[in-house]
Amino acid sequence: MTNGAHIQTIGVSHTYKGGGTRALGQIDLEICPGEALALIGRSGCGKSTLLHILSGLSLPTEGKVLVDGTRITEPSPSRIMMFQAPSLYPWMSVEQNVGLGLRFNGKMNEAGRRIPEVLELVELGDYAKRNVQDLSGGQQQRVALARSLALKPEVLLLDEPLSALDAFTRHALQRDIRRICKDLGITLVLVTHDINEAVMMADRALVMKADPGDIEAEIRIPISGDRLPSMAAFGDARRELVAAYEAAAGMAMAEAQSFIPQDSLNTPTPIDRLAAN
Amino acid sequence: MSQASPITTREAGFAPAYSPGSSKAFLSENMKSRIGGGLESLGYTLAGMVLLLAVWWLGGRMVAASDDLYAFADFAPVPTLIRLTDMIRTGEAFQITVPSLFRIASGLFWAIAIGVPVGILVGAIAGFRKLTNVPFQFLRMISPLSWMPIAVMAFATWEGAIVFLISVAAIWPVLFSTASGLRRIEPSWFKVARNLGARPWHMLFVIILPAISQDILSGIRLALGVAWIILVPAEYLGVTSGLGYAINDARDTLEYDRLAATVVIIGVIGFSLDSLLQLAIAKLSWLRSS
Ligand SMILES: Nc1ncnc2c1ncn2[C@@H]1O[C@H](COP(=O)(O)OP(=O)(O)OP(=O)(O)O)[C@@H](O)[C@H]1O
Ligand SMILES: [Mg+2]
């Protein structure tokens, strides 16, 4: 449908007013149209800062961001950011939340067709009239996703949008978001702490390190179609990413090992477990 | 904003809607407990009214029994209530109330018209908040009635002076409540709206005002309470209508039953207006957990 945008950053660095340290060193990166990119790294390494700059919600202190060759200076409904909290408006129904972008951009004439369409896409077709406060966390995050998709964005920027969800919901949404973005050709940039999430969703992962925030390593994850933790290629990519992550974090192996199996995504589904026994 | 206590029962009523599969038994249990709670609170309300009447009646008996205070015996419930029904029948009650309600409405109108926009500015702009903090806190602490001489000089009519005094008293709760509501808005609500392409007027009417509607209404409710209190002394001023005037007039003519009946009218109307606003707050509230 839409064709995702091409994104390029040139010498982007950022220092927060008041905060002395540089949040971002010097970032030069290029993201292809329709690509799914994961930014991964420990807390405070500048992932959210970079994502805000890509969206145009913040401007870098130095350098510039080009989207399809044009320098961006402000946010745009064609580059939608999603946060850890769904940030829905609690006084509005599901469809009002989803239609908000259309309303702001004078496209309410499309709402009748577009809102059911995106709600169907996130499998919430029957929930249009509900108040968003009556939905579960996962459903709320789906509404936020539908709201982000309603304006047919070229870029989706996700800042740990799934980290508050339970393992199964998260897994389902990781799969769905990747599918939707691939189907619609949306360029996806995903910030996460979670290595499995990166391997689930991204074509490429950039490992960042802090002080100042910088890109330390680049791992390609060439798996086509839906991904499952049980795939061999999944395991390979994850091992590679873990190694890069540890190198960037300067963190002991034991810490990382206990960190991964605990992570629910890696837990075999009940059927897998039965098959193994 | 949590003064609107009825929200909790509303919330309880919403809980089952979340899982449509849950049995009907749970629903009816829930309704039963709601009806039970309603009866219980009605019981307390009635008991409270009886208690108030009892104290009033007892006070009346004591006044009547005292040699010094015998002249004030008409303050007691029976003469008062007889006079009150009389005043309602003749339309006098209505006649003295309407001008007062009109003044309250005008005063609140100005308090809201100025308090809400200024409150939004105070809440939204840190510089403006810091700049106005001292002046506003200072002005707020001045009893509205101390403006009386100035108001009388500044306004051509008594009417204008009274509305001014009510506005001066009522503006602060509206202003501060609006400002504090604005500061508690989730920052991500602004970010998301901006990202989705909201223009400034969208931000104001689609995001900010609905988000803080409850805070504004709570402020108005407090403002109404203050305005209602200021009203009576303000109407002691030159005007010849309204509840305050009626009280003064009844005192001058030594009609203590009329005086007491007017006091009852003031209480009943004030209480009703407050209840109406509380109802409006509960109705408009989008908050499920409060
Ligand atoms: N508003 C701010 N003002 C000053 N410093 C900030 C601000 N926001 C972030 N920082 C600093 O910038 C650096 C990068 O922060 P950022 O939020 O981008 O990290 P992150 O990688 O997203 O972390 P997390 O994984 O915890 O979300 C941190 O050192 C942080 O302390
Ligand atoms: Mg972050």
Side-chain angles (χ1 to χ4, degrees):
Chain A
M1 249 155 89
T2 48
N3 259 320
H6 174 272
I7 302 172
Q8 189 179 9
T9 71
I10 300 171
V12 163
S13 80
H14 195 73
T15 309
Y16 281 100
K17 287 188 207 109
T21 55
R22 280 207 298 172
L24 286 179
Q26 170 133 354
I27 308 278
D28 292 286
L29 79 95
E30 194 170 351
I31 309 167
C32 302
E35 189 185 17
L37 178 79
L39 297 172
I40 187 161
R42 296 186 69 190
S43 197
C45 68
K47 305 182 295 292
S48 299
T49 306
L50 180 55
L51 210 61
H52 275 84
I53 289 171
L54 295 182
S55 78
L57 283 166
S58 319
L59 295 177
T61 11
E62 277 168 55
K64 56 185 175 180
V65 178
L66 304 181
V67 173
D68 286 335
T70 313
R71 182 175 188 170
I72 61 165
T73 53
E74 54 178 15
S76 151
S78 65
R79 294 185 306 278
I80 297 285
M81 184 132 167
M82 273 177 70
F83 304 94
Q84 181 171 5
S87 302
L88 301 174
Y89 300 98
W91 58 91
M92 297 182 191
S93 67
V94 167
E95 59 179 1
Q96 285 171 324
N97 267 284
V98 172
L100 210 56
L102 297 170
R103 182 169 171 189
F104 289 158
N105 291 276
K107 294 183 180 168
M108 277 317 267
N109 53 338
E110 295 174 26
R113 189 173 44 80
R114 192 69 189 141
I115 292 173
E117 205 174 283
V118 286
L119 279 179
E120 216 50 63
L121 210 57
V122 299
E123 292 164 10
L124 284 177
D126 300 333
Y127 289 77
K129 305 284 180 205
R130 293 276 198 99
N131 183 290
V132 291
Q133 291 174 95
D134 298 338
L135 304 183
S136 73
Q139 291 169 329
Q140 291 188 4
Q141 204 54 273
R142 283 175 191 274
V143 175
L145 180 61
R147 178 174 68 187
S148 307
L149 294 172
L151 279 170
K152 303 185 183 175
E154 296 169 347
V155 182
L156 212 52
L157 303 158
L158 310 186
D159 195 350
E160 303 175 38
L162 309 178
S163 52
L165 304 177
D166 76 86
F168 293 104
T169 313
R170 187 163 62 216
H171 192 159
L173 268 169
Q174 286 169 349
R175 187 196 55 209
D176 294 350
I177 292 175
R178 180 174 164 83
R179 269 189 198 160
I180 290 169
C181 288
K182 286 295 167 197
D183 287 352
L184 304 181
I186 296 171
T187 306
L188 175 70
V189 184
L190 162 83
V191 161
T192 180
H193 297 283
D194 178 350
I195 288 171
N196 287 290
E197 185 160 286
V199 181
M200 267 312 275
M201 297 178 73
D203 303 317
R204 183 159 60 113
L206 299 178
V207 180
M208 293 179 67
K209 67 151 192 52
D211 258 335
D214 225 332
I215 296 168
E216 187 78 356
E218 177 183 84
I219 311 291
R220 296 195 170 273
I221 311 166
I223 308 173
S224 54
D226 280 349
R227 299 166 173 194
L228 286 171
S230 54
M231 291 172 165
F234 192 102
D236 292 343
R238 196 185 63 215
R239 265 187 296 282
E240 208 182 330
L241 199 49
V242 167
Y245 189 91
E246 283 173 354
M251 191 172 65
M253 192 66 191
E255 209 179 322
Q257 260 174 349
S258 68
F259 159 75
I260 294 161
Q262 255 177 26
D263 196 271
S264 35
L265 244 195
N266 196 31
T267 318
T269 60
I271 291 172
D272 291 340
R273 236 179 289 146
L274 274 180
N277 287 340
Chain B
M1 73 191 273
S2 52
Q3 288 127 345
S5 45
I7 293 166
T8 26
T9 47
R10 189 183 159 206
E11 181 200 7
F14 266 98
Y18 176 46
S19 48
S22 67
S23 65
K24 278 180 184 161
F26 175 56
L27 249 176
S28 66
E29 264 311 302
N30 193 298
M31 267 156 67
K32 252 185 258 171
S33 75
R34 279 172 82 186
I35 291 166
L39 278 180
E40 192 182 319
S41 79
L42 184 69
Y44 275 114
T45 307
L46 288 176
M49 286 167 70
V50 169
L51 183 71
L52 187 64
L53 267 174
V55 170
W56 184 10
W57 178 80
L58 210 68
R61 287 301 292 258
M62 282 159 69
V63 167
S66 148
D67 290 340
D68 295 337
L69 300 172
Y70 179 76
F72 301 107
D74 276 354
F75 273 124
V78 175
T80 301
L81 293 178
I82 290 172
R83 185 66 189 251
L84 182 62
T85 40
D86 213 44
M87 284 166 76
I88 292 171
R89 200 171 37 76
T90 58
E92 190 189 349
F94 183 76
Q95 211 177 1
I96 60 174
T97 305
V98 168
S100 292
L101 285 180
F102 186 75
R103 287 168 194 139
I104 285 284
S106 317
L108 279 181
F109 170 82
W110 287 112
I112 294 166
I114 299 168
V116 170
V118 177
I120 288 177
L121 290 179
V122 168
I125 305 170
F128 190 68
R129 177 165 58 247
K130 288 177 195 155
L131 179 74
T132 54
N133 185 39
V134 169
F136 281 176
Q137 296 296 346
F138 179 81
L139 289 172
R140 186 171 76 102
M141 283 303 161
I142 299 170
S143 160
L145 290 175
S146 45
W147 294 105
M148 209 182 263
I150 297 171
V152 168
M153 279 192 295
F155 286 85
T157 61
W158 292 107
E159 208 61 42
I162 291 173
V163 170
F164 171 78
L165 289 180
I166 293 172
S167 306
V168 164
I171 193 168
W172 304 113
V174 175
L175 196 159
F176 288 121
S177 177
T178 303
S180 86
L182 204 91
R183 294 191 66 185
R184 274 186 289 105
I185 295 185
E186 301 258 344
S188 65
W189 288 349
F190 292 126
K191 262 197 230 173
V192 168
R194 207 152 80 83
N195 198 174
L196 290 171
R199 308 270 178 276
W201 63 90
H202 289 134
M203 212 58 117
L204 181 62
F205 291 108
V206 183
I207 310 296
I208 294 176
L209 285 178
I212 63 173
S213 60
Q214 297 159 88
D215 301 275
I216 295 177
L217 276 173
S218 306
I220 292 176
R221 189 179 160 209
L222 292 176
L224 176 77
V226 182
W228 198 243
I229 290 169
I230 293 300
L231 172 80
V232 171
E235 281 178 341
Y236 289 172
L237 285 174
V239 291
T240 53
S241 63
L243 295 162
Y245 168 76
I247 287 198
N248 237 0
D249 190 49
R251 189 199 56 194
D252 292 345
T253 54
L254 307 181
E255 293 169 275
Y256 294 121
D257 52 348
R258 182 152 77 92
L259 203 161
T262 310
V263 169
V264 171
I265 293 173
I266 291 173
V268 167
I269 292 176
F271 180 81
S272 312
L273 288 177
D274 185 69
S275 305
L276 276 179
L277 267 176
Q278 201 173 339
L279 219 68
I281 292 171
K283 264 234 134 51
L284 277 173
S285 162
W286 44 260
L287 205 70
R288 286 293 156 79
S289 53
S290 162

